[in-house]
Amino acid sequence: EALVDDSSAIAGGALLLGGTVIGRGSEIGAGARVDTSVVFDGVEIEAGATVERCVIGAGARIGARAHLTDAVI
Protein backbone atom coordinates (compact mmCIF):
# COMPACT_ATOMS: atom_id res chain seq x y z
CA GLU A 1 0.00 0.00 0.00
CA ALA A 2 1.30 3.45 -0.95
CA LEU A 3 1.47 6.49 1.34
CA VAL A 4 0.71 9.70 -0.57
CA ASP A 5 0.70 13.23 0.84
CA ASP A 6 -2.64 14.99 0.30
CA SER A 7 -0.96 17.84 -1.60
CA SER A 8 0.39 15.53 -4.32
CA ALA A 9 -1.31 14.97 -7.68
CA ILE A 10 -1.62 11.44 -9.04
CA ALA A 11 -2.89 11.27 -12.63
CA GLY A 12 -5.28 8.65 -13.90
CA GLY A 13 -3.71 5.34 -14.77
CA ALA A 14 -0.67 5.86 -12.52
CA LEU A 15 0.27 2.84 -10.40
CA LEU A 16 1.77 3.19 -6.92
CA LEU A 17 2.91 -0.17 -5.61
CA GLY A 18 4.88 -1.93 -2.89
CA GLY A 19 4.88 0.54 -0.02
CA THR A 20 5.82 3.54 -2.14
CA VAL A 21 5.89 6.91 -0.35
CA ILE A 22 5.08 10.14 -2.24
CA GLY A 23 6.08 13.45 -0.61
CA ARG A 24 4.40 16.86 -0.55
CA GLY A 25 3.55 18.62 -3.77
CA SER A 26 4.77 15.85 -6.05
CA GLU A 27 3.15 15.05 -9.39
CA ILE A 28 2.89 11.57 -10.87
CA GLY A 29 1.90 11.52 -14.55
CA ALA A 30 -0.60 9.37 -16.37
CA GLY A 31 0.48 5.77 -16.78
CA ALA A 32 3.56 6.18 -14.58
CA ARG A 33 4.51 3.18 -12.41
CA VAL A 34 6.22 3.77 -9.06
CA ASP A 35 7.09 0.56 -7.19
CA THR A 36 8.76 0.19 -3.77
CA SER A 37 10.21 3.72 -3.93
CA VAL A 38 10.52 6.87 -1.83
CA VAL A 39 9.70 10.09 -3.67
CA PHE A 40 10.57 13.26 -1.74
CA ASP A 41 8.77 16.63 -1.93
CA GLY A 42 8.18 18.52 -5.17
CA VAL A 43 9.11 15.68 -7.53
CA GLU A 44 7.64 15.37 -11.01
CA ILE A 45 7.46 11.92 -12.56
CA GLU A 46 6.15 12.36 -16.08
CA ALA A 47 3.72 10.19 -18.03
CA GLY A 48 4.72 6.61 -18.70
CA ALA A 49 7.85 6.64 -16.53
CA THR A 50 8.77 3.56 -14.48
CA VAL A 51 10.52 3.96 -11.11
CA GLU A 52 11.37 0.75 -9.24
CA ARG A 53 13.20 0.46 -5.89
CA CYS A 54 14.44 4.06 -6.08
CA VAL A 55 14.91 7.10 -3.87
CA ILE A 56 14.04 10.29 -5.74
CA GLY A 57 15.28 13.50 -4.07
CA ALA A 58 13.32 16.70 -3.57
CA GLY A 59 12.61 18.72 -6.70
CA ALA A 60 13.77 16.06 -9.17
CA ARG A 61 12.13 15.61 -12.55
CA ILE A 62 11.89 12.17 -14.14
CA GLY A 63 11.13 12.46 -17.85
CA ALA A 64 8.35 10.81 -19.78
CA ARG A 65 8.88 7.10 -20.45
CA ALA A 66 12.12 7.03 -18.39
CA HIS A 67 12.95 3.70 -16.71
CA LEU A 68 14.82 3.79 -13.39
CA THR A 69 15.67 0.74 -11.28
CA ASP A 70 17.68 0.63 -8.04
CA ALA A 71 18.64 4.31 -8.39
CA VAL A 72 19.16 7.25 -6.06
CA ILE A 73 18.47 10.57 -7.79
Side-chain angles (χ1 to χ4, degrees), residues 4-69:
V4 180
D5 186 88
D6 290 339
S7 65
S8 292
I10 311 299
L15 294 175
L16 304 178
L17 307 167
T20 289
V21 177
I22 305 294
R24 291 185 303 254
S26 293
E27 298 179 14
I28 311 299
R33 183 177 188 271
V34 184
D35 189 356
T36 316
S37 297
V38 176
V39 176
F40 280 79
D41 299 344
V43 170
E44 180 180 2
I45 298 176
E46 294 185 353
T50 300
V51 176
E52 296 179 288
R53 298 182 309 274
C54 294
V55 176
I56 308 298
R61 180 181 158 268
I62 308 302
R65 296 177 304 282
H67 294 279
L68 298 175
T69 303

